[in-house]
């Protein structure tokens, strides 16, 4: 499954482009721009599975660094600071990884 099976290619391109500058990534705005906030829980889980490259059922810090590339190959890598902020926002139980729920 490709990201464009769930989200609009145009929305992805706009969102990734909006955060192309280093240290500009805002996960709340990004997920809103790509349309995830309007998607069903099942569609959100589909996106999660696409981003979970090692199929562990979790997205770990190393996978988060490349989250923009998970949406489009033209995406940049997140900085360590941006990656840690995204992990802190999604890691509800403090185990160093983000689960689908």
């Amino acid at each position: 499954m490709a990201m464009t099976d769930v989200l609009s290619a145009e929305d992805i391109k706009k969102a990734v482009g909006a955060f192309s500058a280093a240290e500009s990534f805002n996960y709340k705005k990004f997920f809103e721009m790509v349309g995830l906030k309007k998607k069903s829980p099942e569609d959100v889980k589909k996106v999660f599975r696409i981003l979970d490259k090692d199929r562990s059922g979790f997205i770990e810090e190393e996978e988060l660094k490349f989250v923009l590339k998970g949406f489009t190959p033209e995406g940049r890598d997140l900085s360590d600071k941006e990656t840690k902020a995204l992990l802190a926002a999604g890691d509800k139980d403090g185990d160093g990884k983000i689960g689908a729920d």
Side-chain angles (χ1 to χ4, degrees):
M1 173 172 288
M3 197 62 77
T4 53
D5 292 337
V6 183
L7 302 170
S8 154
E10 185 176 321
D11 288 346
I12 292 170
K13 184 176 181 179
K14 285 180 186 176
V16 170
F19 300 103
S20 62
E23 302 298 333
S24 67
F25 185 69
N26 178 309
Y27 63 89
K28 288 181 182 179
K29 288 182 183 177
F30 178 80
F31 293 137
E32 184 176 333
M33 289 179 75
V34 295
L36 270 177
K37 292 198 173 216
K38 299 179 211 164
K39 294 295 181 180
S40 70
E42 184 53 40
D43 281 343
V44 172
K45 285 184 181 183
K46 287 177 186 174
V47 169
F48 181 91
R49 287 191 291 271
I50 293 168
L51 295 174
D52 179 18
K53 297 297 185 194
D54 65 2
R55 303 282 184 241
S56 66
F58 298 94
I59 299 176
E60 294 87 3
E61 186 171 348
E62 192 57 34
E63 290 170 311
L64 284 178
K65 184 174 203 113
F66 308 110
V67 73
L68 294 179
K69 287 184 178 171
F71 285 86
T72 179
E74 291 79 35
R76 68 175 175 86
D77 295 346
L78 296 183
S79 70
D80 288 343
K81 181 180 174 185
E82 291 169 317
T83 302
K84 288 184 186 316
L86 181 54
L87 179 63
D91 181 12
K92 300 302 180 194
D93 62 4
D95 65 356
K97 51 192 175 185
I98 299 172
D101 296 329

